[in-house]
Amino acid sequence: MSSVTNSNAPIIADFSVRLPASSDGAGSESFELRLDESLPASGVTVVFGASGCGKTTFLRALAGLQHIESGYLQVKGETWHDEKSSLPAHRRPIGYVFQEASLFEHLTAAGNLAFARKRAVVPVTEHDMREVIALLGLGDLLRQRPQQLSGGERQRVAIARALLIKPELLLMDEPLAALDQNRKQEILPYLDRIRAELKIPMIYVTHALDEVTRLADHLMILSQGRVRACGPISDVLSRIDVPGLLGEEAGAIVEGRVAERDKEWHLIRVDFEGGKLWLRDGGEAMGQEVRVRTLARDISLSLEVDQASSILNRLPAEVAAIAEDADPAMALVQLVVGEARLVARISRRSVAQLELSPGRPVWAQIKSVAVLH
Amino acid sequence: MGFSAADWAAISLSLQLAAVTTLILLMTGTPLAWWLARTRSRLKGAVAAIVALPLVLPPTVLGFYLLVAMGPNGPIGGLTQSFGLGTLPFTFSGLVVGSVCYSMPFVVQPLQNAFASIGERPLEMAATLRAGPWDRFLHVVLPLARPGFLSASVLGFAHTLGEFGVVLMIGGNIPGQTRVVSVQIYDHVEALDYGQAHWLAGGMVLFSFLVLLLLYSIPARRGDAGLRFSA
């Protein structure tokens, strides 16, 4: 085992995992996950895919909970698995949050945290302990037993416990999937704070892209055990060369800053490199940096500016590329707006009628825009 | 009336036998139950069947084979003799060996059920929290399986107290050495001394009832194995 930890070195995952047919009862066929990717060991990497695509298997292989059949895994310059040896799960400096909040039922919330603290990668000081407890708002829950906590509270304890290991890599397996919408909203701000304050690299597995798009720096899309796309999130979301990659979820994100508030009409203006967008005022602060998502199906194109329309946002754009969608009636059009890229999903007949081709200037009419919360 | 001196000697011997047997069974039964609960080996079925044999065999059959095995020409007898320990039949140690075999399923099965009901998740969780195999066993499995250990101890103890056939086959009826309560009751009945027999038999009924009452009154919790017998 190499023991040189290099915080800039990426996660190099070049391995395959085979699950026998009956392992989870999900399918009668055996399943194989095979990938050869390099992921940054910084920021938040979201692993997205439908259920059964292998995303949890990927995470379990990183954690050492799933046997890797062949290949190697290197994290920050340290080899965790190769042909000769494999670092057991309990020696990997990771924090892992399971889909359902798996707390030790025989311990209180505080006991669960202490379990991690005793075994942390580096000593956890009183100050660290208080910081994590405050970060996840656990002050009043510490003496409770897991059975007395709500789903959201249990998940917060589980996240705090994973943080107290002082991990070099935080692995999250759909930590919000078992929670209802309100509970999700309860947890998300904590994830935001972990990202902003603790700066622990995080790999976050989900089947609900919107859930964490605002947190993500990097996106890896899995389908049937293979990587379909992987890269910085804005690049992957504006890709059109992989038909059906995101289906109805297709749509780019734009990063901008709140520049104006229209009190009369309850709107805010977000400026980005390439234009301005008006959207509903969700109480964002002036100057706040926001991520805005535009779904491809909500963007239509016209050759002339149409002022007599209910559409609030019209942006001058240029066609960058056109690709066929998985649906034979539809096409995906990649647009360049200043520095930003958008994707529109329009019918193939419209592409022909408007004689769209790369380089052609168009007006992008955006029916709805949402700030990612 | 009441217990005679001989009755008290038998009670004391029975309690000693049950305590020593339970202790040995907890030490040997725990790794065996852990293996049975987790293994995917093909031997699992055979081992589970052997452990469960005393549930269905007449105690005389078990006692007969143990008597032969522990006798001067048997494999166990040969071993004990080569260590200069003599042979085990008609000794307290012989009774302990017999009781361990006889009560094995009553300790192993509750433990096996308790271990199986913990499932994989708490162990995986502990592994991601940097707990090694021993750490996981001591600090996760043992506390979660506590109801199983309680069931196993109570059943192992109570079942050993109630043993008769095996004792008679390999221990005989030596006062203060192998004459346990059940044998003492048999002697009283043989001698038509029903009064004395009532005291001991009634005491056994009361004790067994209280023990089982304790066992069944504990609220069912996750990891509780209770009295389910399954391989």
Side-chain angles (χ1 to χ4, degrees):
Chain A
M1 298 276 150
S2 148
S3 61
V4 191
T5 304
N6 177 353
S7 56
N8 294 320
I11 299 164
I12 300 165
D14 176 2
F15 59 77
S16 67
V17 173
R18 195 183 294 276
L19 300 182
S22 59
S23 77
D24 57 353
S28 54
E29 287 171 35
S30 69
F31 172 82
E32 191 198 33
L33 168 73
R34 190 184 299 159
L35 73 168
D36 179 5
E37 285 298 333
S38 173
L39 299 170
S42 63
V44 177
T45 299
V46 166
V47 179
F48 168 79
S51 71
C53 71
K55 54 193 190 299
T56 294
T57 305
F58 169 65
L59 210 62
R60 290 173 58 85
L62 289 187
L65 298 175
Q66 177 66 53
H67 175 71
I68 289 176
E69 184 159 284
S70 65
Y72 69 94
L73 170 64
Q74 208 182 62
V75 177
K76 295 183 177 183
E78 223 173 322
T79 303
W80 287 8
H81 182 96
D82 61 20
E83 302 298 343
K84 285 179 294 230
S85 58
S86 188
L87 199 60
H90 65 272
R91 298 234 175 85
R92 298 188 184 189
I94 51 146
Y96 198 105
V97 180
F98 291 86
Q99 183 170 345
E100 66 285 15
S102 300
L103 299 179
F104 293 120
E105 301 279 331
H106 63 290
L107 298 173
T108 59
N112 271 277
L113 298 185
F115 191 98
R117 186 184 179 180
K118 273 186 215 138
R119 295 162 175 82
V121 177
V122 288
V124 177
T125 62
E126 269 306 311
H127 173 264
D128 296 333
M129 196 79 185
R130 279 197 300 273
E131 187 185 16
V132 168
I133 288 169
L135 188 77
L136 286 139
L138 301 179
D140 297 331
L141 308 177
L142 291 176
R143 293 168 68 181
Q144 312 263 23
R145 296 211 152 249
Q147 306 90 303
Q148 297 170 297
L149 300 173
S150 73
E153 289 167 343
R154 290 166 67 103
Q155 202 56 287
R156 269 155 54 199
V157 175
I159 294 169
R161 192 179 61 178
L163 291 176
L164 285 173
I165 279 292
K166 293 264 191 116
E168 287 172 24
L169 182 63
L170 191 57
L171 305 174
M172 300 236 187
D173 184 9
E174 304 208 50
L176 306 183
L179 305 177
D180 61 42
Q181 197 56 42
N182 289 337
R183 296 278 168 259
K184 280 180 193 170
Q185 295 305 330
E186 176 191 317
I187 302 273
L188 276 168
Y190 296 113
L191 297 183
D192 246 348
R193 287 162 70 179
I194 291 169
R195 175 180 184 259
E197 292 172 29
L198 301 181
K199 299 192 167 37
I200 301 169
M202 199 191 299
I203 297 190
Y204 189 110
V205 157
T206 185
H207 70 277
L209 198 50
D210 266 341
E211 194 170 284
V212 278
T213 315
R214 71 158 173 177
L215 296 178
D217 301 301
H218 216 74
L219 180 62
M220 179 163 105
I221 298 179
L222 281 178
S223 165
Q224 292 168 343
R226 299 288 184 275
V227 176
R228 300 288 302 279
C230 185
I233 184 157
S234 49
D235 290 1
V236 174
L237 287 180
S238 58
R239 274 180 75 167
I240 58 170
D241 56 332
V242 188
L245 185 64
L246 293 159
E248 291 293 312
E249 293 261 4
I253 57 170
V254 170
E255 295 188 53
R257 194 180 286 275
V258 179
E260 189 184 336
R261 167 166 272 117
D262 183 337
K263 288 220 168 91
E264 186 185 357
W265 302 108
H266 303 285
L267 295 172
I268 53 168
R269 197 188 83 210
V270 171
D271 289 3
F272 64 99
E273 291 179 60
K276 306 166 172 44
L277 288 168
W278 285 98
L279 34 113
R280 278 194 300 195
D281 188 352
E284 289 80 5
M286 286 295 289
Q288 187 185 335
E289 283 189 30
V290 289
R291 275 186 175 182
V292 171
R293 179 118 193 257
T294 59
L295 284 177
R297 59 169 193 246
D298 288 336
I299 300 184
S300 62
L301 302 179
S302 69
L303 296 179
E304 285 155 29
V305 62
D306 180 9
Q307 295 288 4
S309 138
S310 67
I311 300 278
L312 206 55
N313 291 300
R314 283 175 218 93
L315 298 170
E318 188 176 283
V319 174
I322 302 169
E324 295 179 349
D325 195 14
D327 183 333
M330 306 303 282
L332 291 169
V333 180
Q334 194 185 57
L335 305 164
V336 182
V337 184
E339 293 291 302
R341 279 170 193 273
L342 298 177
V343 177
R345 189 165 184 253
I346 60 176
S347 71
R348 289 190 193 172
R349 186 158 85 181
S350 307
V351 173
Q353 280 179 351
L354 298 179
E355 293 170 6
L356 296 182
S357 60
R360 174 132 206 189
V362 290
W363 285 88
Q365 307 187 117
I366 307 169
K367 193 175 167 201
S368 85
V369 202
V371 174
L372 290 166
H373 285 286
Chain B
M1 290 285 272
F3 296 127
S4 68
D7 289 347
W8 280 117
I11 290 169
S12 156
L13 191 67
S14 277
L15 291 175
Q16 283 177 49
L17 178 64
V20 172
T21 301
T22 307
L23 207 65
I24 292 174
L25 275 175
L26 285 177
M27 289 190 296
T28 54
T30 301
L32 181 57
W34 180 249
W35 182 82
L36 282 170
R38 318 237 340 141
T39 186
R40 287 183 195 149
S41 160
R42 281 190 202 159
L43 290 175
K44 177 183 170 169
V47 173
I50 290 169
V51 168
L53 267 181
L55 290 174
V56 293
L57 276 182
T60 44
V61 171
L62 192 64
F64 169 63
Y65 283 119
L66 280 170
L67 184 67
V68 172
M70 296 193 296
N73 300 320
I76 301 175
L79 201 67
T80 52
Q81 281 173 318
S82 72
F83 283 113
L85 299 168
T87 52
L88 293 176
F90 309 106
T91 65
F92 182 76
S93 306
L95 285 196
V96 171
V97 173
S99 304
V100 164
C101 297
Y102 183 55
S103 296
M104 181 77 82
F106 290 83
V107 171
V108 169
Q109 293 195 352
L111 290 180
Q112 185 187 339
N113 290 336
F115 291 152
S117 75
I118 290 173
E120 201 64 36
R121 183 47 58 84
L123 294 167
E124 289 188 341
M125 205 162 48
T128 67
L129 293 167
R130 302 176 65 76
W134 278 106
D135 192 0
R136 296 200 284 271
F137 189 78
L138 291 176
H139 296 109
V140 178
V141 174
L142 288 189
L144 285 175
R146 209 168 55 185
F149 277 96
L150 182 70
S151 300
S153 311
V154 166
L155 286 173
F157 190 89
H159 192 251
T160 305
L161 274 190
E163 153 183 2
F164 174 70
V166 176
V167 175
L168 213 59
M169 291 295 286
I170 61 177
N173 196 352
I174 305 165
Q177 275 192 56
T178 63
R179 186 186 285 172
V180 295
V181 172
S182 55
V183 177
Q184 179 79 349
I185 295 170
Y186 182 71
D187 284 354
H188 285 319
V189 175
E190 285 277 88
L192 297 177
D193 191 354
Y194 281 21
Q196 283 302 113
H198 266 306
W199 274 95
L200 279 178
M204 286 289 283
V205 170
L206 188 69
F207 177 81
S208 303
F209 174 74
L210 289 177
V211 157
L212 293 178
L213 183 69
L214 170 81
L215 200 61
Y216 285 115
S217 304
I218 296 166
R221 250 179 48 185
R222 193 167 169 243
D224 189 1
L227 271 167
R228 285 177 289 119
F229 285 105
S230 65

